[in-house]
Amino acid sequence: MRKFLYIILLTALTVLTACEKKVEMDPELYNSDQVSLMFKGKKVFTFTEGTMQLGYNRSLRQFRAGNDDMSSYFVITCSELPTTVGQEIRGEIKWTSGSSVKTASGITFKVEKYEDTGLVWLWCAADKTGAVIKILN
């Protein structure tokens, strides 16, 4: 009987861990609801409501966030619009870092989370690069 209970317990634990959703995305970014950009594991931009603006161009598949004079911004251009969790899309990023402009291209993002509010969480595990973007209507 004891052996039988052990087998049932082991099977139950295996099933539970197999069903657990494993998110590779940086937890700070995944749990944030602020439009932001992380590059190589370092947060490089965070949107501040009231002092910054968001932009979105559906036909270019482009998402923008920046301050009023665009001295601090980021732009992500995607190969296709993110629509579903698990979707993989290619992207290019452009952002400011101090007084210089940085770019990264050919990044493959996975849509980790998608909310009805228009917020979308993109993540590239290989580069530890991700963003929270907002689709504006």
Side-chain angles (χ1 to χ4, degrees):
M1 182 70 169
R2 202 177 210 186
K3 193 175 193 178
F4 182 69
L5 286 173
Y6 176 75
I7 290 170
I8 290 175
L9 180 61
L10 187 59
T11 303
L13 285 172
T14 302
V15 169
L16 287 174
T17 55
C19 294
E20 181 181 320
K21 182 177 187 267
K22 295 192 169 123
V23 177
E24 294 180 28
M25 187 172 197
D26 180 273
E28 178 187 350
L29 197 60
Y30 187 80
N31 294 317
S32 173
D33 62 353
Q34 282 186 298
V35 170
S36 52
L37 176 66
M38 178 177 280
F39 185 73
K40 304 272 185 197
K42 183 179 177 184
K43 189 86 79 84
V44 295
F45 183 92
T46 302
F47 179 78
T48 305
E49 191 76 38
T51 63
M52 295 185 168
Q53 298 177 24
L54 294 175
Y56 167 63
N57 185 312
R58 182 176 289 276
S59 62
L60 294 176
R61 301 163 314 279
Q62 192 173 76
F63 305 87
R64 297 178 304 278
N67 62 3
D68 288 342
D69 65 2
M70 294 301 280
S71 60
S72 177
Y73 69 89
F74 84 90
V75 177
I76 293 183
T77 305
C78 298
S79 59
E80 57 189 281
L81 288 176
T83 57
T84 56
V85 172
Q87 176 185 9
E88 289 191 357
I89 56 178
R90 305 272 294 162
E92 297 180 1
I93 310 169
K94 185 176 183 180
W95 74 98
T96 55
S97 176
S99 61
S100 64
V101 176
K102 307 278 187 176
T103 61
S105 59
I107 299 171
T108 300
F109 291 109
K110 181 177 177 185
V111 178
E112 293 289 344
K113 196 162 49 165
Y114 192 105
E115 291 188 352
D116 292 339
T117 60
L119 286 175
V120 180
W121 287 255
L122 303 174
W123 183 248
C124 175
D127 290 337
K128 293 185 177 165
T129 296
V132 179
I133 58 174
K134 183 153 184 153
I135 297 173
L136 303 171
N137 290 325

